Structures are given as C-alpha cells and as structure tokens.
Amino acid sequence: MRIAMIGSGYVGLVSGACFADFGHIVTCVDKDVDKIEQLRRGEIPIFEPGLGELVESNVAEGRLAFTSDLAPAVHEADAVFIAVGTPSRRGDGHADLSYVYEAALDIAAALDGFTVIITKSTVPVGTGDEVERIMREARPDADFTVVSNPEFLREGAAILDFKRPDRIVVGTEHARAREVMQEIYRPLYINQPPIIFTNRRTSELTKYAANAFLATKITFINEIADLCERVGANVQEVARGIGLDNRIGTKFLHAGPGYGGSCFPKDTVALIKTAQEAGAPIRIVETVAAVNEARKRAIAGKVIAACDGSVAGKKVALLGLAFKPNTDDMREAPSLVIVAALEAAGAGVQAFDPESIEQARPLMPKVTFCANPYACATGADALVIATEWDAFRALDLDRIKKVMARPVIIDLRNIYRPQDVRRRGFTYVSVGRD
Ligand code: UDX
C-alpha cells in the first residue's frame, strides 16, 4: 500500500513511521521545508521515545521518505492521510480547520486514480463532509472518498499506542475504502484490536467524546482530592477503591495539578462549542474545562500556602515543566500557570526538566534553568514536583535537604510516600492525602 501523510508534525510523523514499519511505502509531506530537511538529515524535531530509531530503520529500508512536494506523493498514493494541525481558533475556541481545508485542496489537485482520503487530525463533526465537498468542487472528475480515522496516541507512548491500540475507529460507508483501511491496518491483526466501522460523523465525534470523558475522569478525581484534603481521606486509596470496579477502571484516576497538553484542553473546548451550536450543550464538559483551568491557578496557591502563606522574596525550585513525562511538549502545561502565579507573588523560580527546557525557555523568560534536580534545589525555600518524570521518583532526599535553604517539598504528582519524606525532616505537601 502506498501512503501519503500530509503534515509531519507529531501525529503525522508517528503514524507515518509506524505505517512504514508495518511494511507500507510512506511519504511524509510538510510545507515546512526546514522540517523536511531536518528529517532528511535524520533529526527528529520532537521528543518521542523510540521514534528516532523507527524513522531511521524505515528510511534505511526504503519504506519512508520526506518531501515538501505534495503533488507527486499524492499522485502515487492509494491512501492519503490528513494529519495537519487543528489548533484552537483565537477568540472562540473552535478548532481552526484552515490547514485541513488547505490540504484538501492541494490533495484534490494532485489526485490520480481511486484514492482514499483519511482525516487523522482531530476534526469537529461534519468536517469530513466539508472536506469531501471542497474536493469534489475542485476536482469533479476525481475518484476518491473521504474517511475519518482518529488517532488515540498519548505523547510519550505514541508508538506503543499505535502498534497496540485498544481499538481502531474508521468512519466510512464506502465498501472499497473499508477494504483499503482493513489492508492498511492488517499488520495489526496478530493482536486483533477491534476495528470499529461506523459512519464518518460518528467516528469524528468518538474522538472528542473519548478525550472529553478522560478529561472528566481526571477532573473528577482532582475534585475528590480536594475533598480528601478537607475531610482527612486519601485520594490514592479512594481511586483504587473505585477503580477496581471494572465499570470504572483504575486508569486516569491520578490526582494532580490539572490536565494539560495538546489535546484535552483544545478538544474539550471544541466539543463544548460544537454541542452548544447543535443545541445540545454538554454541561458536564463545560464544567470540566472551567474546573481544570481554575485548578492550575489554585495549585499555585497550594505552593504559596506551603511556604507559610508568602513566597515574596523566596526561591522556589520547580522539577518538571512539560505537561507530562516523556515529552518535551509545553502546550497548556500546568507549570506555565504555576510559574506565572509564583512570580506574580514575588518568588524567584528555578527549574529543571529532563527534556523541555529549550521549549520552556522563551515561555518563562524570568526563570533560571538548572542542569539537574540538585542544582535546581540549591538555595530553594520550597521544591515543587510538577511532572512525574522517572528521574524524580528516586531523588537522594538527604542530598536535596542539604542543598535547600528550607526543607519543603510540594509533590503535585504524589510520587513519594509521605512518611518517607517526612522522616527525613521535610515539610511535605501532596495532593489529596495527609
Ligand atoms: C491524550 C489522550 O490520552 C490520547 O488518547 C489523545 O489522542 C491525545 O490526548 P496526551 O495528551 O498525550 O494524550 O496525554 P495523556 O497521557 O492522556 O495525559 C493528558 C494530561 O492529563 C496530562 O497533563 C496528564 O498529566 C494528565 N493526567 C492524566 C492526569 O492528571 N491524571 C491522570 O490520571 C492521567
């Protein structure tokens, strides 16, 4: 199967490399000439475990190539995936579909022979219809159909998620497209992931519903954590106590500083808009989005409270900047809000992250960036663990205590056992537990 992947960002690159690894011939296309040059030199523009090796081996095997020239790639392809960005539109929170529609027009111009066009980008319900309309108008003669096939990739675990998916959702009612999609995902049959064939609109909505549900689950446990703090209960034990009920499940019940990243914040807001406009507002998701935003600010208050109510003139050390571990992605990271609030309250912030310092630097110009966790803790009046990188799970706490000005740890990811930290003479504050 010959595949063209339009957009070589996070989703396009991971999907393209994985499809190539399945044995398909893949060309990843991007308008960003510098990015394509970088990829051709074997440099990966994002941090994603295992991606570099996957790209390298598939390029070497001749199954994966990069180009900024869309037309020849589409011309040869049996299947063309649209994996361009759909950022939040400034002002109204709607998904900005201009890149999707631009890609649709470029693809239409280059079509040759029966081609399946697949939207992998997260797009609001009805976008597939519009893509099809735009393309038919541009190329009434062309033989193609538009399919929805959302991705469910977690950053940091994207290759694993791609190769061992819980399910694959495909929105098409076109028999030949169904065969093509089956063929594309055939190499996965050994693990037998369910492929759900449905109509295009249902597929598009499934993606938003999945992310909104996960965001709701996180927000639910975050509010239960707040209640635990008030009533002397332990949120981790509550999470386990409810999670072992199969109907609930133990995953996505880790309380913390609020969800961030490139998907949940954007997709919840886009779903809210779609639902309002359709006259079926989803009030639970409206609340989730509002609660999560407020939480990031409230968490800064928690840090300040742990510093005896004021951080004015104090030094706060922040471990972890990315919105979650194993990524360098700073989009909607809680650390952005926490740093801004601490600085506004008069603190000097010094920070360390294993991967995201270069991304963070322009976003938090007043922060001092450090080379490792111990340098970061040096001279600090409080140490905040904001992202649960493995590297932070087994710090030498005695060494940390020696270098800090005051032994105060605020563990926003509950990665330590309170008694282990307190035994070493720290004041220790975590989320939803004593
Ligand atoms: C998410 C979805 O999981 C994925 O299926 C979708 O395609 C894209 O969005 P991602 O944003 O990469 O993936 O990360 P995820 O691991 O889902 O975490 C999102 C946010 O939720 C992070 O900020 C994380 O710290 C937070 N989170 C997650 C919690 O606070 N608690 C949890 O229990 C789980």
Side-chain angles (χ1 to χ4, degrees), residues 151 153-155 207 218 252 254 260 263 323-324 413:
E151 51 83 16
L153 308 176
R154 284 166 304 165
E155 289 185 22
K207 164 72 187 198
I218 296 167
F252 274 69
H254 298 290
C263 292
F323 80 97
K324 66 174 209 172
R413 300 287 183 169

Side-chain angles (χ1 to χ4, degrees), residues 50-376:
L51 185 58
E53 294 81 346
L54 202 67
V55 168
E56 192 184 337
S57 62
N58 282 285
V59 168
E61 301 272 344
R63 288 192 300 262
L64 181 60
F66 300 99
T67 182
S68 40
D69 196 359
L70 178 141
V74 168
H75 197 78
E76 292 173 355
D78 306 297
V80 179
F81 282 84
I82 301 179
V84 297
T86 55
S88 268
R89 207 159 60 188
R90 219 168 278 155
D92 65 3
H94 264 300
D96 178 351
L97 298 172
S98 50
Y99 301 112
V100 173
Y101 295 147
E102 239 174 77
L105 276 176
D106 293 344
I107 294 165
L111 285 178
D112 182 37
F114 177 69
T115 315
V116 181
I117 317 300
I118 305 119
T119 41
K120 241 203 190 308
S121 304
T122 300
V123 291
V125 182
T127 304
D129 300 0
E130 184 60 9
V131 167
E132 180 151 353
R133 193 193 61 75
I134 289 173
M135 293 182 64
R136 291 245 178 269
E137 200 175 284
R139 281 289 305 276
D141 59 307
D143 187 11
F144 70 93
T145 183
V146 177
V147 172
S148 158
N149 172 220
E151 51 83 16
F152 299 100
L153 308 176
R154 284 166 304 165
E155 289 185 22
I159 292 169
L160 187 83
D161 285 349
F162 199 98
K163 293 195 164 182
R164 300 189 75 90
D166 289 339
R167 79 316 204 173
I168 296 158
V169 177
V170 178
T172 181
E173 288 164 301
H174 190 290
R176 203 159 151 204
R178 189 182 163 124
E179 277 169 30
V180 168
M181 295 306 287
Q182 256 159 346
E183 181 58 23
I184 287 175
Y185 284 106
R186 192 180 46 77
L188 286 182
Y189 282 7
I190 195 156
N191 301 322
Q192 299 194 315
I195 299 197
I196 299 167
F197 283 100
T198 177
N199 68 36
R200 206 159 53 194
R201 287 179 169 241
T202 305
S203 168
E204 289 168 341
L205 184 57
T206 302
K207 164 72 187 198
Y208 282 99
N211 275 357
F213 190 87
L214 292 169
T216 303
K217 206 171 173 189
I218 296 167
T219 305
F220 176 83
I221 204 66
N222 281 342
E223 290 206 303
I224 293 287
D226 291 347
L227 178 59
C228 285
E229 289 177 15
R230 295 292 172 95
V231 300
N234 180 318
V235 74
Q236 281 177 312
E237 287 165 21
V238 172
R240 191 166 157 72
I242 62 172
L244 287 172
D245 182 329
N246 278 334
R247 293 169 302 175
I248 297 175
T250 50
K251 290 181 183 158
F252 274 69
L253 285 178
H254 298 290
Y259 61 77
S262 64
C263 292
F264 289 170
K266 167 172 82 71
D267 293 351
T268 44
V269 171
L271 179 64
I272 289 166
K273 289 281 165 198
T274 302
Q276 282 169 352
E277 283 177 9
I282 307 183
R283 296 219 306 275
I284 193 165
V285 181
E286 291 173 8
T287 304
V288 163
V291 168
N292 192 65
E293 276 314 300
R295 181 167 192 83
K296 294 182 189 174
R297 286 190 298 276
I299 286 292
K302 189 180 179 82
V303 175
I304 295 170
C307 295
D308 298 331
S310 170
V311 288
K314 293 183 179 168
K315 271 192 191 174
V316 178
L318 199 63
L319 290 186
L321 295 165
F323 80 97
K324 66 174 209 172
N326 300 321
T327 177
D328 60 357
D329 200 334
M330 287 296 300
R331 283 178 285 181
E332 305 284 340
S335 67
L336 294 167
V337 179
I338 296 169
V339 165
L342 292 176
E343 286 178 343
V349 179
Q350 45 202 45
F352 171 74
D353 186 284
E355 290 295 336
S356 71
I357 288 180
E358 286 321 306
Q359 269 65 23
R361 209 181 281 280
L363 304 174
M364 28 183 88
K366 284 197 249 148
V367 168
T368 306
F369 294 97
C370 305
N372 60 59
Y374 302 98
C376 183

